[in-house]
Amino acid sequence: QKEVEQDPGPLSVPEGAIVSLNCTYSNSAFQYFMWYRQYSRKGPELLMYTYSSGNKEDGRFTAQVDKSSKYISLFIRDSQPSDSATYLCAMTDSWGKFQFGAGTQVVVTP
Amino acid sequence: EAQVTQNPRYLITVTGKKLTVTCSQNMNHEYMSWYRQDPGLGLRQIYYSMNVEVTDKGDVPEGYKVSRKEKRNFPLILESPSPNQTSLYFCASSLDPYQETQYFGPGTRLLVL
């Protein structure tokens, strides 16, 4: 069983809709949680970073972490066609080892 | 410009022919890491380095070697490549692995015949 589970999609939404993405994990040692966005043929780029349980908002993006349930989420409000990409969750302990989800492909249609 | 560079960007090779993929960063980052990306599997960590001369195995280190002799460089070595190492490889760096964002290189697409 993978340490991090993420639905690969694809997830297709109309422009302006809310995109909801999530990951579950099994290792309680993970302390830091991230969401990356990856466009085709590019390296991942960091979208959101959270440390503790709770919500973090940055513009149209909201990240949620529930450590008790080992569940993290990313919400994208007012989605745009430019948000079409693959979104990867990632997590790490404090020792340098990272685990990524498989990535969810998101398609926002005009 | 702050960046992580990788070379080569594309490589076709044959089984058993040793190769090195270079990674260099100009941001004075302590932490560097190598990942491979395969369809349906996401990014998997191969090796990482917390500082010069300090390297550790990630989830999939078999068949790979790394070295960190200088802070800016972190080459990935495939001593005897096999077809199952055909993949997209990314190098990344950050000031530290947990409080700072990782900056990813552009990727190296490797095909082993």
Side-chain angles (χ1 to χ4, degrees), chain A residues 69-91:
Chain A
S69 301
K70 296 189 178 66
Y71 186 89
I72 68 171
S73 302
L74 177 72
F75 300 96
I76 308 173
R77 290 183 299 280
D78 187 25
S79 57
Q80 306 294 312
S82 58
D83 293 326
S84 297
T86 296
Y87 291 81
L88 300 127
C89 64
M91 47 202 76

Side-chain angles (χ1 to χ4, degrees), chain A residues 89-110:
Chain A
C89 64
M91 47 202 76
T92 182
D93 54 24
S94 54
W95 303 103
K97 206 164 184 181
F98 272 82
Q99 289 285 345
F100 280 78
T104 300
Q105 184 185 358
V106 173
V107 178
V108 181
T109 54

